[in-house]
Amino acid sequence: MKSVVGKFTASNLHWVGDGFPVRTLFSYHDMARHVSPFLLLDHAGPTEFPPSQIPRGVGEHPHRGFETVTIVYQGEIAHRDSAGNGGLIGPGDVQWMTAGSGILHDEFHSDAFMRAGGVLEMVQLWVNLPAAHKMTAPAYQTISAARIPVVPLPNNAGNVRLIGGELFNRKGPARTFTTIDLWDVRLKKCHTTTLPLKAGRTACLVMIRGDALLNGTDSIRENEWALASENCSNLRIEAKSECTILVLSGIPIDEPVVGSGPFVMNSEQEICTAFADLQSGMFGSIRDAS
């Protein structure tokens, strides 16, 4: 069985812009060696927002050197960027943005959600790009809930929404530069399942909602995450309640990680270049999708 080598608790709540109250589960600033190829994971909400006439969210900001993956559980988000991409993502949808050589974007509650109010809950994951792809052209994938395969777990224990990678000979729709599995697991109360994890990979299990026991010894609760060892191949999960679990697995990138704010590169010089390129206008400007 794949053993758990660490269990961690999310940071205190902080705001990103005025639309996203988030808890950071992990960050490359202190966990880079352990979570590669992943860089950061934020869990926003669940938070009840009253109806409003004033847009809430995060205004224009840049990224370079990695990909952002946004999974919406509740609510609806609107996106625009400097590559001309845009659209709405609602419950079950995933937005996969490759910042690559540089992109500007903004994220706000959608007009409909803003006017009606409601509960917002989402996760944003940062996935590192290898040095060979850090300056790739920016790209954008809207992965609707309808496109994500739902894979049943044995013994009617629940199911897995297969966002990226593979599980039980099925493949997820996300196109990736970095070899990863990204599974959105729903496990029924008092049921048990064993997930096959590939040896030699980083593997993290994030409890979005619920309470479970891992490999018969390690308990994990909401807004906690566990880091598995790399020397075995299975993770047994016993659900004490209805569980929503995000499982991340990937081949580590054995390269330096140097970041500053919205940029994650391989050297301080590349960070300086990113800021200079931003100031010179090389990231373009946000425009509505054509």
Side-chain angles (χ1 to χ4, degrees):
M1 301 296 288
K2 195 171 183 76
S3 60
V4 173
V5 297
K7 189 179 72 173
F8 308 89
T9 302
S11 67
N12 293 330
L13 187 73
H14 63 279
W15 283 82
V16 176
D18 62 0
F20 304 104
V22 308
R23 291 177 174 86
T24 298
L25 276 295
F26 62 73
S27 168
Y28 69 91
H29 290 294
D30 53 5
M31 296 290 292
R33 183 173 63 86
H34 302 287
V35 299
S36 178
F38 310 106
L39 294 169
L40 177 142
L41 183 69
D42 281 342
H43 180 201
T47 301
E48 178 84 34
F49 285 90
S52 175
Q53 299 299 314
I54 301 173
R56 300 186 183 98
V58 182
E60 178 179 308
H61 60 285
H63 291 297
R64 172 179 278 184
F66 59 97
E67 301 183 286
T68 66
V69 181
T70 304
I71 305 168
V72 177
Y73 290 101
Q74 302 180 75
E76 190 175 63
I77 304 300
H79 166 94
R80 299 183 309 155
D81 66 39
S82 54
N85 304 302
L88 304 177
I89 53 170
D93 297 338
V94 176
Q95 169 192 285
W96 200 295
M97 186 183 77
T98 303
S101 60
I103 200 166
L104 299 173
H105 77 138
D106 60 27
E107 296 170 295
F108 286 91
H109 299 181
S110 71
D111 288 343
F113 181 79
M114 179 184 69
R115 291 192 299 269
V119 176
L120 177 72
E121 183 179 18
M122 54 176 273
V123 163
Q124 185 168 96
L125 171 69
W126 290 12
V127 182
N128 202 8
L129 287 170
H133 296 295
K134 280 193 175 292
M135 295 299 286
T136 194
Y140 182 83
Q141 303 171 65
T142 298
I143 307 173
S144 67
R147 291 182 54 210
I148 299 173
V150 179
V151 180
L153 292 170
N155 302 315
N156 197 33
N159 61 65
V160 178
R161 295 195 328 127
L162 182 51
I163 298 168
E166 300 182 1
L167 178 66
F168 302 146
N169 297 316
R170 302 281 298 278
K171 292 186 177 182
R175 302 185 305 275
T176 69
F177 287 88
T178 307
T179 302
I180 66 172
D181 292 322
L182 182 55
W183 305 335
D184 185 18
V185 180
R186 303 299 197 280
L187 190 58
K188 296 178 182 178
K189 181 180 179 180
C190 297
H191 283 67
T192 299
T193 195
T194 299
L195 296 177
L197 300 178
K198 299 177 180 70
R201 291 192 179 191
T202 297
C204 306
L205 183 144
V206 180
M207 184 64 73
I208 303 298
R209 189 175 299 109
D211 180 8
L213 192 65
L214 306 181
N215 285 349
T217 58
D218 298 280
S219 64
I220 184 170
R221 296 178 176 83
E222 185 171 317
N223 278 316
E224 293 182 339
W225 68 281
L227 178 67
S229 70
E230 296 181 4
N231 60 3
C232 211
S233 58
N234 295 296
L235 182 64
R236 187 170 183 264
I237 309 172
E238 302 171 52
K240 305 303 181 184
S241 62
E242 296 282 331
C243 291
T244 299
I245 303 166
L246 197 61
V247 178
L248 322 170
S249 174
I251 297 176
I253 299 173
D254 187 19
E255 297 172 353
V257 176
V258 179
S260 180
F263 306 135
V264 181
M265 303 299 289
N266 299 114
S267 69
E268 292 288 352
Q269 181 56 53
E270 289 175 327
I271 294 294
C272 293
T273 299
F275 278 107
D277 290 347
L278 176 66
Q279 292 299 318
S280 69
M282 288 182 62
F283 284 49
S285 58
I286 291 179
R287 59 186 190 274
D288 291 328
S290 56

